[in-house]
Amino acid sequence: MDCGHQYPTDQIIYTCSVCGGLLDVQHDLDTLRTSISRATFDERLGTLERPYNSGVWRYKELVYPDVADDLIVSRPEGNTNLYDSPRLAAWVGVQKLYLKHEGENPTGSFKDRGMTGGVTQARVLGINRVACASTGNTSASLAAYAAWAGLDGIVFFQNKQIALGKLAQAIAYGATGIQVNADFDRNLELVREVAEKLGIYVLNSINPFRLEGQKTIMIETIQQLRWRVPDWIVVPGGNLGNSSAFGKALYELKALGLIDRLPRLAIIQADGANPLYRSYQNGLKSLEPVHAETIATAIKIGNPVNYRKAVRALHWTGGVVEEVSDQEIMDAKAQIDRTGIGCEPASACSVVGVRKLVEKGVIGRNETVVGILTGHVLKDADAVINYHSNQLDGIEAHYPNHLHQSEATVAALSEILAVREPN
Ligand code: F0G
């Protein structure tokens, strides 16, 4: 992405051997401009035929145009709901808030959209072992897609704070799970070194084929809005793969004439894991890694590998970066859960991020906002139970739903229900 050096798609490579920079999958936009239109993708809506029944491969021309269909590893993913959420819109202070629920993917997070691209590429390359470092969701997704494709999956976990749902998934799907005595950032370095030594394919978001899949979150959202572009897209930022993919998707959609303007991107970080936010405060000149701590363990990342691509996305879209506290994250999560759709803690950054940006006057009350919910409510059940029983260190549950205990009598139950506030 920096020096413009090109490599063929069948080369196993993650960073440029000339300048060390990140790699982009480069599409032939001139050819695509004449060969695809909105109708190409609208006609595939609702099809039962693979691979177009996937919300990633519906956009195959924009993801991986010339890959053979029989190599595609798909569950199928995507086709997630875009919820018009008036109650949360009122809570954050805008007229129109949509939530794109990526927790509705096959393994419960947006990672499946990237993993279908990455595991497909592993098959193109003929590699049988795939690996990642993960705060949890990538490992669950890798484990599932590797198993589905008949490949060996390997996942490196940090030594603490992995949400139980994610750990359980990786083990259940049969990946080789290794708990390494290090944080996510160190694990990502290690997985790259070990993979190179042992000939294993790396499926972290440094892998550009993963980001091609994740682009479809944007494309599908805009198609669901009948190709009308919202004013804002708001997304949590950890390793910054999603933010980077969104920028590339939007840039390409505009270049192809499929949309007429770009929405603005708002990237929201936890204030204990905020290297991009700090960089933004300094004009995005450089990245200083931080030691990360947050209850939103999915985004407990101090040295985001996709920093340069995220900066590019911010420049393309006139984007902004905001930070939110763990208290704000958990209260927002309680609000989102309470509407009946739910999400994991990191996802709540999107909603409370909007609230904060509205308060600051950055997002206008009349603007249309799409928030991305990145993971499913069951990913981190501990966080839910501990919040509602007020057992989270340093966090006060402002929207608790206490669990009642009752004797097995009608009288005792009636007493509880008599004092229960109506919804
Ligand atoms: N939300 C959830 C639920 C995540 O799992 C992640 C990342 C993010 C947001 C941040 O996305 O890295 O693209 O900025 N989880 C990774 C993992 C790092 O290992 O599962 P990002």
Side-chain angles (χ1 to χ4, degrees):
M1 65 169 282
D2 293 322
C3 74
H5 198 82
Q6 301 207 3
Y7 302 90
T9 51
D10 60 1
Q11 189 169 339
I12 303 166
I13 183 169
Y14 311 100
T15 50
C16 179
S17 56
V18 176
C19 76
L22 296 166
L23 301 176
D24 272 326
V25 172
Q26 190 68 49
H27 293 280
D28 182 352
L29 295 180
D30 289 335
T31 305
L32 284 176
R33 204 170 286 122
T34 57
S35 59
I36 55 153
S37 65
R38 293 175 179 179
T40 314
F41 307 125
D42 286 344
E43 280 159 14
R44 292 175 187 159
L45 284 172
T47 183
L48 299 175
E49 303 304 320
R50 73 182 301 276
Y52 301 123
N53 58 349
S54 155
V56 170
W57 298 101
R58 178 183 312 129
Y59 314 102
K60 186 175 183 230
E61 291 82 352
L62 306 182
V63 173
Y64 201 160
D66 51 6
V67 73
D69 285 354
D70 60 356
L71 287 178
I72 291 176
V73 182
S74 175
R75 285 284 306 272
E77 46 295 304
N79 291 311
T80 58
N81 285 300
L82 182 69
Y83 294 98
D84 187 347
S85 313
R87 270 186 284 163
L88 289 168
W91 190 66
V92 301
V94 294
Q95 272 174 16
K96 208 51 159 173
L97 176 70
Y98 293 98
L99 294 176
K100 176 73 168 160
H101 207 325
E102 288 298 298
E104 296 175 349
N105 273 291
T107 76
S109 84
F110 71 91
K111 303 289 180 180
D112 296 341
R113 295 204 189 237
M115 210 48 75
T116 185
V119 173
T120 295
Q121 179 62 7
R123 291 186 74 197
V124 169
L125 297 168
I127 305 178
N128 292 325
R129 290 215 285 177
V130 292
C132 70
S134 178
T135 57
N137 279 322
T138 305
S139 68
S141 185
L142 179 144
Y145 278 76
W148 194 230
L151 309 180
D152 285 341
I154 300 160
V155 298
F156 287 16
F157 293 111
Q158 56 206 341
N159 49 4
K160 49 185 182 191
Q161 284 190 311
I162 311 147
L164 204 58
K166 306 173 187 180
L167 187 60
Q169 283 180 292
I171 292 171
Y173 297 136
T176 301
I178 309 176
Q179 233 166 344
V180 184
N181 189 18
D183 62 9
F184 170 83
D185 299 296
R186 175 68 187 131
N187 273 346
L188 186 51
E189 291 169 2
L190 282 169
V191 82
R192 291 174 67 181
E193 285 171 38
V194 171
E196 175 152 9
K197 182 156 181 262
L198 303 181
I200 300 168
Y201 195 48
V202 177
L203 286 178
N204 279 99
S205 55
I206 190 144
N207 185 315
F209 292 93
R210 255 199 54 189
L211 297 192
E212 289 305 296
Q214 286 172 217
K215 285 191 323 191
T216 62
I217 300 171
M218 272 310 90
I219 310 173
E220 191 174 89
T221 297
I222 291 175
Q223 185 179 30
Q224 283 169 314
L225 292 171
R226 311 284 191 275
W227 302 101
R228 283 192 294 267
V229 178
D231 297 305
W232 289 91
I233 301 288
V234 187
V235 65
N239 220 8
L240 303 176
N242 247 356
S243 315
S244 303
F246 291 7
K248 186 168 188 282
L250 295 167
Y251 175 89
E252 289 171 353
L253 288 175
K254 173 93 183 344
L256 293 171
L258 294 170
I259 56 175
D260 53 10
R261 67 185 178 96
L262 297 187
R264 295 180 72 187
L265 186 65
I267 306 175
I268 316 297
Q269 295 205 295
D271 63 9
N274 62 354
L276 181 69
Y277 177 74
R278 287 169 187 237
S279 170
Y280 179 72
Q281 298 297 96
N282 290 318
L284 294 170
K285 284 195 278 288
S286 64
L287 181 80
E288 296 294 329
V290 301
H291 172 74
E293 280 303 336
T294 168
I295 192 163
T297 54
I299 51 173
K300 197 163 107 39
I301 295 172
N303 188 16
V305 72
N306 290 299
Y307 169 74
R308 301 251 317 125
K309 285 186 178 175
V311 169
R312 182 177 68 175
L314 289 167
H315 286 319
W316 275 339
T317 63
V320 302
V321 185
E322 186 52 89
E323 64 171 0
V324 293
S325 67
D326 282 4
Q327 176 74 55
E328 290 171 313
I329 289 172
M330 290 310 292
D331 282 335
K333 176 179 147 53
Q335 294 285 344
I336 299 161
D337 292 354
R338 191 74 178 75
T339 64
I341 58 176
C343 65
E344 67 162 287
S347 308
C349 286
S350 300
V351 171
V352 74
V354 178
R355 195 168 198 239
K356 234 171 157 172
L357 290 168
V358 171
E359 269 167 21
K360 287 187 173 176
V362 177
I363 294 181
R365 292 180 186 276
N366 297 330
E367 292 187 296
T368 300
V369 181
V370 175
I372 311 296
L373 299 182
T374 45
H376 195 279
V377 66
L378 287 177
K379 288 281 190 173
D380 195 345
D382 282 346
V384 176
I385 303 297
N386 290 335
Y387 175 87
H388 289 287
S389 54
N390 231 333
Q391 283 174 13
L392 291 176
D393 266 357
I395 291 177
E396 192 188 334
H398 291 126
Y399 307 102
N401 181 16
H402 297 298
L403 182 63
H404 299 270
Q405 306 292 331
S406 175
E407 294 300 322
T409 64
V410 170
L413 288 163
S414 301
E415 199 176 319
I416 291 169
L417 295 175
V419 296
R420 180 93 168 82
E421 297 270 324
N423 283 334

